[in-house]
């Protein structure tokens, strides 16, 4: 499988869950992948598993200096960049009436500001044929209890692809949103709990949560030339959750 042969990719949140599954698929398809996240030991474990075509840079998407270090590392080792998977994200539930300013800031710093600077700072290394993939969520479309900040942040991400497709006209760089539904990762466990995960699985027409590899497979499609006429789109990989 060589759909990403010779390409260089950055995957934020690439040490765990959806990002790690995507990193494995990208490398299987011939890519060289930089993963980015805040926990060194988790990054180290992921690189050990992903092998010689993976590098890790430690940092937060909400810290511009950390992102500058990430792209300096990409430039130093690879020169240019073909794919950015802005996937790092976080969220927790707080019902209307209990929402705090800190909760909003924390969610938006990662999911909104973090995605903007992840992409903006990548652009000087990218050129025609480049692909930007943003992780959205079924929550950006549907309503769910206690999800004000998270769902609003993901609705913002959905619009980024529309707005940036305009801003990127003439560059040959595409930008699309990949929106998972309930997917079996640490984030889902923490945000929904065991009971919440069962509820989301039962609400999903396919009657289960996704395996992260099922999201990674679609990330490969959006990263590759197989999706060469797609930009500004949202691809739902949600077992039908947000589609009925
Ligand atoms: N799982 C689901 O059901 C589901 C559904 C829809 C959308 N999503 C989205 O999918 C994406 C990946 O989540 P996941 O489900 O795979 O959960 P996950 O395993 O918890 O992955 C989240 C990743 O993001 C990283 N991260 C979080 N905040 C960061 C920051 N400030 N800077 C850099 N890295 C950061 C985390 O690493 P560190 O903590 O080490 O930094 C972690 O590797 C997220 O955008 C999430 O919103 C998930």
């Amino acid at each position: 499988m060589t759909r990403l042969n010779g390409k260089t990719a950055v995957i934020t949140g690439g040490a765990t869950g959806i990002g790690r599954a995507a990193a494995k698929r990208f490398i299987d398809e011939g890519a060289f992948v930089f993963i980015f996240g805040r926990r060194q030991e988790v990054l180290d474990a992921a690189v050990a598993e992903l092998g010689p075509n993976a590098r890790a840079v430690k940092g937060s998407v909400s810290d511009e200096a950390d992102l500058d270090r990430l792209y300096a590392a990409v430039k130093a080792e690879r020169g240019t960049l073909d794919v950015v998977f802005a996937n790092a994200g976080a969220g927790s539930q707080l019902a209307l009436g209990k929402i705090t300013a800190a909760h909003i800031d924390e969610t938006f710093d990662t999911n909104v500001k973090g995605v903007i600077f992840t992409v903006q700072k990548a652009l000087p290394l990218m050129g025609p044929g480049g692909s930007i993939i943003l992780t959205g969520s079924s929550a950006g479309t549907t309503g769910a209890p206690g999800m004000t900040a998270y769902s609003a942040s993901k609705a913002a991400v959905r619009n980024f692809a529309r707005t940036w497709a305009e801003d990127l006209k003439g560059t040959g760089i595409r930008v699309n949103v990949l929106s998972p539904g309930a997917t079996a990762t640490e984030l889902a466990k923490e945000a929904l709990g065991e009971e919440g995960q069962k509820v989301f699985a039962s609400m999903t027409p396919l009657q289960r949560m996704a395996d992260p590899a099922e999201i990674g497979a679609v990330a490969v499609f959006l990263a590759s030339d197989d999706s060469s006429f797609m930009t500004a789109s949202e691809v739902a990989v949600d077992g039908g959750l947000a589609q009925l």
Side-chain angles (χ1 to χ4, degrees), residues 11 20 30 37 41 59 91 120 124 141 144 160 173 179 182 195 198 244:
I11 303 179
R20 179 157 164 175
E41 70 284 5
Q120 181 164 289
T141 301
F160 290 161
I173 301 170
S179 289
E195 204 46 44
K198 281 188 196 145
L244 304 183

Side-chain angles (χ1 to χ4, degrees), residues 13-19 36-39 59-62 87-90 110 135-138 150 154 180-183 185-188:
T16 65
I18 290 167
F36 184 72
R38 294 165 300 177
R39 290 168 294 169
S60 172
V61 291
S62 54
N87 164 75
T110 305
T135 302
S137 172
S138 55
Y150 181 77
K154 293 299 187 178
T183 306
T185 66
E186 283 306 308
L187 181 144

Side-chain angles (χ1 to χ4, degrees), residues 115-217:
V115 170
I116 293 171
F117 285 114
T118 297
V119 171
Q120 181 164 289
K121 287 176 178 293
L123 292 179
L125 296 178
M126 298 184 78
S131 174
I132 297 165
I133 306 159
L134 315 175
T135 302
S137 172
S138 55
T141 301
T142 60
M147 301 291 264
T148 298
Y150 181 77
S151 297
S153 74
K154 293 299 187 178
V157 167
R158 198 299 163 230
N159 187 272
F160 290 161
R162 291 193 160 110
T163 299
W164 295 345
E166 285 283 356
D167 287 344
L168 292 168
K169 266 184 187 164
T171 65
I173 301 170
R174 304 180 294 108
V175 54
N176 294 287
V177 177
L178 195 175
S179 289
T183 306
T185 66
E186 283 306 308
L187 181 144
K189 258 187 231 157
E190 277 166 30
L192 305 174
E194 288 301 326
E195 204 46 44
Q197 289 185 91
K198 281 188 196 145
V199 170
F200 269 92
S202 70
M203 283 160 53
T204 299
L206 289 182
Q207 294 285 284
R208 63 177 176 85
M209 294 177 76
D211 184 291
E214 296 176 289
I215 316 299

